[in-house]
Amino acid sequence: MITKLPLYYIARRFNRTPPLPMNYTFSLTYNCNSKCKTCNITQREPVEELTPLEWRHIFKSLGKSPYWVTFSGGEPFLKKDIWIIYSYLCQICRPAIVNIPTNGLLTSLIVKSVEQMLKGNPKVQLIVNVSIDHLGEKNDEIRGVKGAYTKSVETFFELQKLSKEYKNLTVGIHTVISSFNVEDFPIICDFLIGLNPTSYVAEIAECREELLTLYSKEISPNLQKYKVATEYLTERMIYKRDYIDVSRIIKAFRRIYYKLTIETLKRRTQVTPCYAGWASVQIAPNGDVWPCCILADSIGNLRDYAYNLKPMWCSPLVTFKRFQIKAKQCYCPMANVSYTNMIFSLKILPRLMRYMFIPRRPDDLTLAEHKLQALKLLKEGPK
Protein backbone atom coordinates (compact mmCIF):
# COMPACT_ATOMS: atom_id res chain seq x y z
CA MET A 1 0.00 0.00 0.00
CA ILE A 2 2.80 2.42 0.95
CA THR A 3 4.47 2.01 -2.45
CA LYS A 4 1.20 3.02 -4.15
CA LEU A 5 0.69 6.27 -2.22
CA PRO A 6 2.95 8.41 -4.46
CA LEU A 7 1.10 7.11 -7.54
CA TYR A 8 -2.27 8.33 -6.23
CA TYR A 9 -0.73 11.67 -5.23
CA ILE A 10 0.85 12.20 -8.66
CA ALA A 11 -2.34 11.15 -10.47
CA ARG A 12 -4.41 13.69 -8.53
CA ARG A 13 -1.81 16.44 -8.73
CA PHE A 14 -1.24 16.14 -12.50
CA ASN A 15 -4.68 14.88 -13.61
CA ARG A 16 -3.53 11.41 -14.56
CA THR A 17 -5.42 8.10 -14.30
CA PRO A 18 -4.63 6.58 -10.89
CA PRO A 19 -4.10 2.90 -10.10
CA LEU A 20 -7.16 0.96 -9.04
CA PRO A 21 -8.31 2.09 -5.56
CA MET A 22 -6.94 0.68 -2.31
CA ASN A 23 -10.08 1.46 -0.26
CA TYR A 24 -13.33 -0.21 -1.40
CA THR A 25 -16.86 -0.13 -0.04
CA PHE A 26 -19.00 -2.97 -1.33
CA SER A 27 -22.71 -2.42 -0.63
CA LEU A 28 -24.13 -5.93 -0.70
CA THR A 29 -27.82 -5.07 -0.23
CA TYR A 30 -30.24 -2.22 0.44
CA ASN A 31 -32.41 -4.54 2.55
CA CYS A 32 -32.52 -3.68 6.25
CA ASN A 33 -34.49 -4.88 9.26
CA SER A 34 -34.09 -1.58 11.13
CA LYS A 35 -36.02 1.64 10.58
CA CYS A 36 -33.49 4.12 11.94
CA LYS A 37 -34.37 7.78 12.31
CA THR A 38 -30.98 8.63 10.76
CA CYS A 39 -31.39 6.45 7.65
CA ASN A 40 -34.06 5.99 4.99
CA ILE A 41 -32.38 3.25 2.98
CA THR A 42 -35.43 0.96 3.38
CA GLN A 43 -37.32 3.42 1.16
CA ARG A 44 -35.06 2.68 -1.80
CA GLU A 45 -36.54 0.89 -4.79
CA PRO A 46 -35.57 -2.82 -4.91
CA VAL A 47 -32.67 -3.60 -7.27
CA GLU A 48 -31.34 -6.76 -8.88
CA GLU A 49 -28.47 -7.47 -6.50
CA LEU A 50 -25.15 -8.84 -7.66
CA THR A 51 -24.83 -12.58 -7.08
CA PRO A 52 -21.80 -14.19 -5.38
CA LEU A 53 -20.58 -15.34 -8.80
CA GLU A 54 -20.83 -11.78 -10.14
CA TRP A 55 -18.88 -10.47 -7.14
CA ARG A 56 -16.26 -13.13 -7.87
CA HIS A 57 -15.84 -11.78 -11.41
CA ILE A 58 -15.48 -8.25 -10.00
CA PHE A 59 -12.83 -9.34 -7.49
CA LYS A 60 -10.83 -10.97 -10.28
CA SER A 61 -10.77 -7.65 -12.14
CA LEU A 62 -9.53 -5.86 -8.99
CA GLY A 63 -6.64 -8.23 -8.42
CA LYS A 64 -4.59 -7.40 -5.32
CA SER A 65 -5.54 -3.70 -5.31
CA PRO A 66 -7.92 -3.79 -2.28
CA TYR A 67 -6.14 -3.11 1.01
CA TRP A 68 -9.05 -2.00 3.18
CA VAL A 69 -12.59 -3.18 2.36
CA THR A 70 -15.97 -2.39 3.91
CA PHE A 71 -19.04 -4.59 3.41
CA SER A 72 -22.04 -2.31 3.90
CA GLY A 73 -25.80 -2.27 3.42
CA GLY A 74 -28.59 -1.95 4.42
CA GLU A 75 -27.86 -4.73 6.86
CA PRO A 76 -24.97 -6.69 5.31
CA PHE A 77 -25.85 -9.95 7.05
CA LEU A 78 -29.25 -10.03 5.32
CA LYS A 79 -27.24 -10.98 2.24
CA LYS A 80 -27.53 -14.73 2.83
CA ASP A 81 -24.38 -15.53 0.84
CA ILE A 82 -22.20 -12.92 2.57
CA TRP A 83 -19.72 -15.51 3.80
CA ILE A 84 -19.27 -16.87 0.27
CA ILE A 85 -18.65 -13.36 -1.11
CA TYR A 86 -16.21 -12.74 1.73
CA SER A 87 -14.33 -15.97 0.95
CA TYR A 88 -14.05 -15.04 -2.73
CA LEU A 89 -12.68 -11.62 -1.74
CA CYS A 90 -10.08 -13.06 0.62
CA GLN A 91 -8.93 -15.80 -1.75
CA ILE A 92 -8.67 -13.57 -4.83
CA CYS A 93 -7.80 -10.07 -3.56
CA ARG A 94 -6.22 -10.85 -0.17
CA PRO A 95 -7.05 -7.53 1.52
CA ALA A 96 -5.44 -6.71 4.86
CA ILE A 97 -8.61 -5.51 6.58
CA VAL A 98 -12.34 -6.07 6.06
CA ASN A 99 -14.80 -4.04 8.10
CA ILE A 100 -18.50 -4.95 8.49
CA PRO A 101 -21.03 -2.81 10.40
CA THR A 102 -24.18 -4.54 11.65
CA ASN A 103 -27.30 -3.62 13.61
CA GLY A 104 -26.91 -6.90 15.51
CA LEU A 105 -30.60 -7.88 15.36
CA LEU A 106 -30.07 -11.39 13.97
CA THR A 107 -27.71 -12.81 16.58
CA SER A 108 -27.52 -16.46 15.52
CA LEU A 109 -27.29 -15.66 11.79
CA ILE A 110 -24.57 -13.04 12.33
CA VAL A 111 -22.45 -15.24 14.59
CA LYS A 112 -22.78 -18.22 12.25
CA SER A 113 -21.86 -16.13 9.19
CA VAL A 114 -18.85 -14.55 10.93
CA GLU A 115 -17.58 -17.96 12.02
CA GLN A 116 -17.87 -19.24 8.45
CA MET A 117 -15.91 -16.20 7.25
CA LEU A 118 -13.13 -16.76 9.75
CA LYS A 119 -12.63 -20.49 9.28
CA GLY A 120 -10.98 -20.42 5.88
CA ASN A 121 -9.40 -16.95 5.93
CA PRO A 122 -7.03 -16.62 8.92
CA LYS A 123 -4.74 -14.00 7.34
CA VAL A 124 -7.39 -11.29 6.86
CA GLN A 125 -8.25 -9.05 9.81
CA LEU A 126 -12.05 -8.98 10.13
CA ILE A 127 -13.61 -6.10 12.07
CA VAL A 128 -17.29 -6.34 13.01
CA ASN A 129 -18.84 -3.23 14.58
CA VAL A 130 -22.22 -3.60 16.29
CA SER A 131 -24.27 -0.40 16.02
CA ILE A 132 -25.81 0.89 19.27
CA ASP A 133 -27.04 4.49 19.38
CA HIS A 134 -28.43 4.78 22.91
CA LEU A 135 -29.30 2.67 25.96
CA GLY A 136 -32.41 0.55 26.45
CA GLU A 137 -35.70 1.79 25.04
CA LYS A 138 -34.15 5.04 23.78
CA ASN A 139 -31.96 2.99 21.45
CA ASP A 140 -35.04 1.05 20.27
CA GLU A 141 -36.80 4.34 19.52
CA ILE A 142 -33.91 5.64 17.40
CA ARG A 143 -33.45 2.29 15.66
CA GLY A 144 -37.18 1.81 15.08
CA VAL A 145 -37.27 -1.78 16.39
CA LYS A 146 -38.59 -2.91 19.75
CA GLY A 147 -36.00 -4.96 21.63
CA ALA A 148 -33.17 -3.83 19.34
CA TYR A 149 -30.92 -2.86 22.25
CA THR A 150 -31.13 -6.26 23.94
CA LYS A 151 -30.50 -8.10 20.68
CA SER A 152 -27.55 -5.89 19.70
CA VAL A 153 -25.85 -6.32 23.09
CA GLU A 154 -26.41 -10.09 22.91
CA THR A 155 -24.82 -10.18 19.45
CA PHE A 156 -21.86 -8.15 20.71
CA PHE A 157 -21.20 -10.59 23.59
CA GLU A 158 -21.54 -13.63 21.33
CA LEU A 159 -19.06 -12.15 18.85
CA GLN A 160 -16.71 -11.35 21.74
CA LYS A 161 -16.72 -15.05 22.67
CA LEU A 162 -15.88 -15.89 19.05
CA SER A 163 -12.96 -13.44 19.08
CA LYS A 164 -11.27 -15.49 21.81
CA GLU A 165 -11.11 -18.43 19.42
CA TYR A 166 -10.21 -16.45 16.30
CA LYS A 167 -7.43 -13.92 16.83
CA ASN A 168 -8.10 -12.21 13.49
CA LEU A 169 -11.55 -11.06 14.65
CA THR A 170 -11.96 -7.59 16.16
CA VAL A 171 -15.33 -6.76 17.72
CA GLY A 172 -16.28 -3.13 18.28
CA ILE A 173 -19.26 -0.92 19.01
CA HIS A 174 -20.34 1.92 16.73
CA THR A 175 -22.55 4.87 17.64
CA VAL A 176 -24.08 7.42 15.26
CA ILE A 177 -24.12 10.81 16.97
CA SER A 178 -27.31 12.56 15.93
CA SER A 179 -29.75 15.19 17.15
CA PHE A 180 -31.57 12.31 18.90
CA ASN A 181 -28.74 11.31 21.26
CA VAL A 182 -26.04 14.01 21.34
CA GLU A 183 -27.14 15.45 24.70
CA ASP A 184 -26.80 12.04 26.39
CA PHE A 185 -23.61 11.04 24.61
CA PRO A 186 -21.22 11.04 27.62
CA ILE A 187 -23.54 8.62 29.45
CA ILE A 188 -23.93 6.43 26.33
CA CYS A 189 -20.19 6.50 25.71
CA ASP A 190 -19.26 5.53 29.29
CA PHE A 191 -21.67 2.61 29.43
CA LEU A 192 -20.78 1.15 26.02
CA ILE A 193 -17.04 1.44 26.61
CA GLY A 194 -17.73 -0.32 29.91
CA LEU A 195 -18.77 -3.38 27.85
CA ASN A 196 -15.07 -3.65 26.88
CA PRO A 197 -15.24 -3.52 23.07
CA THR A 198 -11.90 -3.78 21.31
CA SER A 199 -12.76 -0.43 19.74
CA TYR A 200 -15.48 2.13 20.20
CA VAL A 201 -16.17 4.49 17.30
CA ALA A 202 -18.66 7.30 16.91
CA GLU A 203 -19.58 9.09 13.70
CA ILE A 204 -21.87 11.98 12.93
CA ALA A 205 -25.27 11.35 11.30
CA GLU A 206 -24.68 12.11 7.62
CA CYS A 207 -26.87 13.60 4.93
CA ARG A 208 -26.20 11.12 2.10
CA GLU A 209 -27.95 10.34 -1.14
CA GLU A 210 -27.17 6.65 -0.62
CA LEU A 211 -29.24 6.68 2.60
CA LEU A 212 -31.89 9.02 1.12
CA THR A 213 -31.04 11.55 3.84
CA LEU A 214 -29.35 14.16 1.64
CA TYR A 215 -31.95 16.76 2.59
CA SER A 216 -32.72 15.47 6.11
CA LYS A 217 -30.98 18.28 7.92
CA GLU A 218 -32.82 17.57 11.18
CA ILE A 219 -30.85 14.36 11.83
CA SER A 220 -27.48 16.08 12.23
CA PRO A 221 -26.62 17.33 15.72
CA ASN A 222 -25.88 20.93 16.58
CA LEU A 223 -22.24 21.44 15.60
CA GLN A 224 -21.19 22.88 18.97
CA LYS A 225 -22.86 20.01 20.81
CA TYR A 226 -21.15 17.51 18.52
CA LYS A 227 -17.85 19.20 19.34
CA VAL A 228 -18.46 18.83 23.09
CA ALA A 229 -19.45 15.16 22.62
CA THR A 230 -16.36 14.25 20.60
CA GLU A 231 -14.06 16.20 22.92
CA TYR A 232 -15.39 14.11 25.79
CA LEU A 233 -14.82 10.93 23.78
CA THR A 234 -11.26 12.04 23.05
CA GLU A 235 -10.62 12.55 26.77
CA ARG A 236 -12.15 9.11 27.37
CA MET A 237 -9.68 7.63 24.89
CA ILE A 238 -6.72 9.20 26.67
CA TYR A 239 -7.59 7.54 29.98
CA LYS A 240 -6.12 4.15 29.07
CA ARG A 241 -7.53 2.34 32.06
CA ASP A 242 -11.04 3.05 30.79
CA TYR A 243 -10.48 2.46 27.07
CA ILE A 244 -9.83 -1.24 26.70
CA ASP A 245 -7.47 -2.83 24.14
CA VAL A 246 -7.56 -0.02 21.58
CA SER A 247 -4.38 0.40 19.56
CA ARG A 248 -2.69 3.78 19.36
CA ILE A 249 -3.13 3.76 15.60
CA ILE A 250 -6.93 3.56 15.77
CA LYS A 251 -7.06 6.21 18.48
CA ALA A 252 -4.79 8.53 16.50
CA PHE A 253 -6.99 8.34 13.40
CA ARG A 254 -10.16 8.85 15.42
CA ARG A 255 -8.83 11.90 17.28
CA ILE A 256 -7.95 13.61 14.02
CA TYR A 257 -11.20 12.53 12.34
CA TYR A 258 -13.34 14.24 15.00
CA LYS A 259 -11.43 17.51 14.57
CA LEU A 260 -11.63 17.30 10.78
CA THR A 261 -15.38 16.70 10.92
CA ILE A 262 -15.96 19.80 13.02
CA GLU A 263 -13.75 21.91 10.77
CA THR A 264 -15.39 20.55 7.60
CA LEU A 265 -18.93 21.27 8.78
CA LYS A 266 -17.94 24.65 10.18
CA ARG A 267 -16.24 25.87 7.00
CA ARG A 268 -18.53 23.90 4.64
CA THR A 269 -15.69 22.89 2.37
CA GLN A 270 -12.98 20.25 2.06
CA VAL A 271 -10.32 20.90 4.69
CA THR A 272 -8.03 18.19 3.31
CA PRO A 273 -7.68 17.14 -0.35
CA CYS A 274 -10.25 14.43 -1.06
CA TYR A 275 -9.10 11.22 -2.76
CA ALA A 276 -12.57 9.78 -3.42
CA GLY A 277 -12.42 8.64 -7.06
CA TRP A 278 -8.67 8.14 -6.83
CA ALA A 279 -7.86 5.93 -3.84
CA SER A 280 -11.41 5.01 -2.74
CA VAL A 281 -14.61 3.91 -4.46
CA GLN A 282 -18.00 2.36 -3.69
CA ILE A 283 -19.88 -0.34 -5.58
CA ALA A 284 -23.66 -0.44 -5.11
CA PRO A 285 -25.69 -3.68 -4.73
CA ASN A 286 -26.72 -3.60 -8.42
CA GLY A 287 -23.18 -2.98 -9.71
CA ASP A 288 -23.29 0.82 -10.06
CA VAL A 289 -19.91 2.43 -9.33
CA TRP A 290 -19.78 5.61 -7.25
CA PRO A 291 -16.58 7.62 -6.81
CA CYS A 292 -18.36 9.28 -3.86
CA CYS A 293 -21.21 7.76 -1.83
CA ILE A 294 -22.49 11.09 -0.51
CA LEU A 295 -23.81 12.17 -3.93
CA ALA A 296 -24.02 8.60 -5.28
CA ASP A 297 -23.34 9.70 -8.88
CA SER A 298 -22.74 6.56 -10.93
CA ILE A 299 -19.98 6.39 -13.54
CA GLY A 300 -21.46 3.20 -14.97
CA ASN A 301 -22.57 -0.30 -14.11
CA LEU A 302 -20.12 -3.19 -13.89
CA ARG A 303 -22.57 -5.50 -15.62
CA ASP A 304 -22.16 -3.38 -18.76
CA TYR A 305 -18.36 -3.68 -18.56
CA ALA A 306 -18.09 -7.47 -18.10
CA TYR A 307 -17.53 -6.84 -14.35
CA ASN A 308 -14.23 -5.10 -15.06
CA LEU A 309 -13.58 -1.82 -13.21
CA LYS A 310 -10.45 -0.91 -15.16
CA PRO A 311 -12.16 0.54 -18.32
CA MET A 312 -14.47 2.63 -16.13
CA TRP A 313 -11.52 3.89 -14.07
CA CYS A 314 -10.08 5.76 -17.04
CA SER A 315 -13.36 6.86 -18.70
CA PRO A 316 -14.17 10.53 -19.44
CA LEU A 317 -17.08 10.43 -16.97
CA VAL A 318 -14.93 9.45 -13.98
CA THR A 319 -12.37 12.06 -15.07
CA PHE A 320 -15.12 14.69 -14.90
CA LYS A 321 -16.21 13.47 -11.45
CA ARG A 322 -12.62 13.71 -10.23
CA PHE A 323 -12.46 17.27 -11.54
CA GLN A 324 -15.57 18.15 -9.53
CA ILE A 325 -14.17 16.61 -6.35
CA LYS A 326 -10.77 18.26 -6.82
CA ALA A 327 -12.49 21.63 -7.41
CA LYS A 328 -14.18 21.21 -3.99
CA GLN A 329 -17.68 21.20 -5.43
CA CYS A 330 -18.59 18.85 -2.58
CA TYR A 331 -17.58 18.22 1.02
CA CYS A 332 -18.50 15.68 3.67
CA PRO A 333 -17.48 14.19 7.03
CA MET A 334 -17.51 10.61 5.68
CA ALA A 335 -15.22 8.62 8.00
CA ASN A 336 -14.24 5.94 5.50
CA VAL A 337 -12.95 8.48 2.98
CA SER A 338 -11.46 10.74 5.68
CA TYR A 339 -9.10 8.00 6.87
CA THR A 340 -7.75 7.63 3.34
CA ASN A 341 -7.40 11.39 2.93
CA MET A 342 -5.36 11.67 6.14
CA ILE A 343 -2.66 9.40 4.73
CA PHE A 344 -2.10 11.79 1.82
CA SER A 345 -2.00 14.99 3.88
CA LEU A 346 1.50 16.26 4.64
CA LYS A 347 -0.01 18.52 7.30
CA ILE A 348 -1.82 15.71 9.09
CA LEU A 349 0.76 12.91 8.89
CA PRO A 350 3.13 14.43 11.49
CA ARG A 351 0.22 14.90 13.91
CA LEU A 352 -0.91 11.35 13.23
CA MET A 353 2.56 10.05 14.07
CA ARG A 354 2.67 12.15 17.22
CA TYR A 355 -0.69 10.85 18.42
CA MET A 356 0.42 7.28 17.72
CA PHE A 357 3.74 7.34 19.53
CA ILE A 358 3.45 10.19 22.05
CA PRO A 359 -0.03 9.96 23.55
CA ARG A 360 -1.08 13.10 25.37
CA ARG A 361 -1.32 12.80 29.14
CA PRO A 362 -4.67 13.50 30.80
CA ASP A 363 -5.01 16.99 32.24
CA ASP A 364 -5.73 17.78 35.88
CA LEU A 365 -9.47 17.12 35.58
CA THR A 366 -10.66 13.64 36.48
CA LEU A 367 -12.78 11.71 33.99
CA ALA A 368 -15.83 12.22 36.22
CA GLU A 369 -15.24 15.99 36.14
CA HIS A 370 -14.95 15.91 32.36
CA LYS A 371 -18.24 14.03 32.18
CA LEU A 372 -20.08 16.52 34.41
CA GLN A 373 -18.65 19.42 32.44
CA ALA A 374 -19.69 17.87 29.10
CA LEU A 375 -23.22 17.04 30.29
CA LYS A 376 -23.68 20.59 31.57
CA LEU A 377 -22.60 22.09 28.26
CA LEU A 378 -24.80 19.71 26.28
CA LYS A 379 -27.91 20.41 28.35
CA GLU A 380 -27.45 24.17 28.60
CA GLY A 381 -26.06 24.60 25.11
CA PRO A 382 -22.43 25.67 24.48
CA LYS A 383 -21.69 29.39 24.39
Side-chain angles (χ1 to χ4, degrees), residues 330-347:
C330 58
Y331 69 93
C332 73
M334 181 70 180
N336 199 325
V337 176
S338 293
Y339 301 153
T340 306
N341 296 344
M342 289 179 204
I343 299 172
F344 292 97
S345 173
L346 297 179
K347 292 182 180 179

Side-chain angles (χ1 to χ4, degrees), residues 352-371:
L352 193 61
M353 295 297 107
R354 187 171 74 250
Y355 284 171
M356 278 188 210
F357 301 110
I358 313 175
R360 198 198 73 177
R361 292 182 179 179
D363 56 30
D364 293 335
L365 290 177
T366 66
L367 190 59
E369 288 171 327
H370 274 297
K371 183 176 181 179

